[in-house]
Amino acid sequence: MREYLQFYIDGQWVDPVELKTLDVENPATEEVAGKIAIGSAADVDKAVKAARKAFASWSQTSREERLEVLGRILAEYQKRFGDLATAVTEEMGAPASLAQRAQVPIGMGHLSTAMEVLKTFKFEEDRGPTMIVKEPIGVCGFITPWNWPLNQIVCKVAPAIATGCTMVLKPSEVAPFSGQIFAEIMHAAGVPAGVFNMVQGDGPGVGAAIASHPDVDMVSFTGSTRAGIEVAKAAAPTVKRVAQELGGKSPNIVLDDDAFAKGVGRGVATMMTNSGQSCNAPTRMLVPSKRMDEAIAVAREAAEKVTVGDPNGNAQLGPVVSKVQFDKIQKLIQAGIDEGATLVTGGVGRPEGLDKGYFVKPTVFANVTNDMTIAKEEIFGPVLSILGYDSLEQAIEIGNDTEYGLAAYVQAADLQRARKVASQLRAGQVSINGGGGDLMAPFGGYKMSGNGREWGDFAFHEFLETKAVLGYAPKEAAE
């Protein structure tokens, strides 16, 4: 039973201004796994003041000093690898294999990537008599979600550290254990006091306070589009920068060629990863209408091979994160049935043999149309919708017919055709034939999937202001 009743502020563990607690549930057992303190605007204010004070000196550190700190963070993170993996499995139900193979390693990847970028990043540029300078934006507020908790913490913290910013983090209250351990890592790494601060809490109590705080210069939020809108509203009166990575309803266009069956199978496997709890999951598979029956057969076989169960065992899928999510997913599966989509496999209720835990059947619908609820709403569970198209032009039109634009996918035997389709999809990231895993590639969305970009050198720019120093090199001085 974990008990985390302190916050990390100004280089020390401190008690909340007023102690309020929240039980954290293990979604695989439906039992309480721990307890955290829930912060308030007063706790946020203490953390922001510490970050503001630390910014004066941290913003003036050299490239070499920041590289050294990032290196120490990476070393401490590696020491806590096992603890982090256990925490992620316990708090949000990721299978142990996924936690060890992806959920925890991606944090190390973002730290290493930030170090690599920092080594050669140009913070100054001569333009004749003018010097263009990239300077740290200031105090940053980070509000992160539960589905890939370490990925979304570290892909913000690492570039912020690298660019000379200070920060206040609010991990998800649904999956807070890994965030607490990450704060312990930052402390063990000797990150200067006030540079990194963490306040646990919920959106209304802590998230809103971070977004609206006048001394927070930038807020970076990852989560639902609905919550992102609220963050932007709270931030607007202080005209701070807002970076958002929000929801998605990503199309996966499978072309009519010899790679069809392989593309359908790959799409199912990608969709089901992390129990479908990824904002960039390929939730809408588009196939030629004339091959719908073939797609159904391949998708059924692929989905029914996916094992669901104890995340500490050998199951490929664990539970979804909470009862709230479970109930939402069940409601949307029922909507698919009620609206006339063909239920290929899965459906409502828990998988056979599982009577406890928020486990969802790997579900595939076919003959879906883009006006159905399951084609429009982000389900955030292991539920795939297969839609038919009569021409490639129609496939692209359907693919783009969504308020979201985070990711898109193309499966094809002919790389040139795939590239042509990719060029017409309105999304921040397009994956061809399973391409992925590039931490230098920008991640972020079009339309209601957000604004700004994370990962690699693109992330650095989110945390920098641009200053023009006129007359830096006067003409007469040059002569």
Side-chain angles (χ1 to χ4, degrees), residues 8 18 29 58 93 108 117 160 187 192 203 212 229 256 277 284 309 333 347 355 358 400 408 429 454:
Y8 188 69
E18 181 184 352
T29 64
W58 181 249
M108 296 189 300
V117 172
H187 183 72
S212 62
I229 291 168
D256 185 8
Q277 299 172 120
R284 292 182 299 142
I333 291 173
D355 57 2
Y358 305 121
N400 288 332
Q429 200 171 81
E454 297 184 312

Side-chain angles (χ1 to χ4, degrees), residues 211-290:
S212 62
H213 201 290
D215 268 341
V216 170
D217 301 295
M218 179 264 199
V219 60
S220 179
F221 171 82
T222 301
S224 69
T225 297
R226 176 197 55 77
I229 291 168
E230 295 306 311
V231 167
K233 286 179 178 177
T238 50
V239 200
K240 57 172 59 70
R241 184 180 299 174
V242 179
Q244 298 174 313
E245 192 260 284
L246 307 175
K249 195 68 183 175
S250 304
N252 182 13
I253 299 178
V254 186
L255 273 59
D256 185 8
D257 57 29
D258 294 341
F260 181 80
K262 184 178 181 181
V264 171
R266 180 191 291 127
V268 173
T270 306
M271 174 64 238
M272 299 299 168
T273 300
N274 205 40
S275 297
Q277 299 172 120
S278 298
C279 45
N280 61 340
T283 52
R284 292 182 299 142
M285 181 182 290
L286 280 71
V287 303
S289 297
K290 63 184 180 182

Side-chain angles (χ1 to χ4, degrees), residues 86-311:
T86 300
V88 169
T89 296
E90 193 175 352
E91 67 190 359
M92 55 80 61
S97 59
L98 182 68
Q100 293 161 8
R101 189 181 72 248
Q103 288 271 7
V104 178
I106 199 168
M108 296 189 300
H110 286 305
L111 285 163
S112 298
T113 299
M115 291 171 70
E116 199 58 36
V117 172
L118 180 56
K119 287 174 186 175
T120 57
F121 191 85
K122 290 185 177 179
F123 290 97
E124 296 181 350
E125 178 191 350
D126 287 316
R127 289 197 180 184
T130 300
M131 173 68 79
I132 307 298
V133 183
K134 299 284 189 180
E135 295 183 339
I137 194 168
V139 175
C140 302
F142 298 150
I143 304 169
T144 60
W146 47 260
N147 60 323
W148 287 87
L150 289 162
N151 169 62
Q152 288 146 321
I153 288 172
V154 186
C155 80
K156 300 179 194 302
V157 169
I161 291 281
T163 52
C165 294
T166 58
M167 63 215 73
V168 178
L169 166 69
K170 186 201 89 66
S172 169
E173 73 278 18
V174 178
F177 300 156
S178 53
Q180 192 88 11
I181 294 171
F182 184 78
E184 292 172 2
I185 287 167
M186 298 294 274
H187 183 72
V191 176
V195 170
F196 171 86
N197 306 272
M198 185 207 66
V199 178
Q200 298 275 19
D202 58 17
V206 174
I210 289 173
S212 62
H213 201 290
D215 268 341
V216 170
D217 301 295
M218 179 264 199
V219 60
S220 179
F221 171 82
T222 301
S224 69
T225 297
R226 176 197 55 77
I229 291 168
E230 295 306 311
V231 167
K233 286 179 178 177
T238 50
V239 200
K240 57 172 59 70
R241 184 180 299 174
V242 179
Q244 298 174 313
E245 192 260 284
L246 307 175
K249 195 68 183 175
S250 304
N252 182 13
I253 299 178
V254 186
L255 273 59
D256 185 8
D257 57 29
D258 294 341
F260 181 80
K262 184 178 181 181
V264 171
R266 180 191 291 127
V268 173
T270 306
M271 174 64 238
M272 299 299 168
T273 300
N274 205 40
S275 297
Q277 299 172 120
S278 298
C279 45
N280 61 340
T283 52
R284 292 182 299 142
M285 181 182 290
L286 280 71
V287 303
S289 297
K290 63 184 180 182
R291 300 186 75 167
M292 179 64 75
D293 289 345
E294 185 182 349
I296 288 172
V298 173
R300 178 186 287 115
E301 182 180 2
E304 291 180 352
K305 282 181 180 176
V306 177
T307 56
V308 185
D310 181 3

Side-chain angles (χ1 to χ4, degrees), residues 253 255 396 400 408-410 415-427 429-432 446:
I253 299 178
L255 273 59
I396 293 164
N400 288 332
Y409 300 76
V410 185
L415 184 58
Q416 288 304 116
R417 287 186 75 205
R419 287 171 175 167
K420 186 174 181 181
V421 173
S423 71
Q424 298 173 75
L425 293 172
R426 299 281 296 167
Q429 200 171 81
V430 184
S431 173
I432 295 175
Y446 289 22

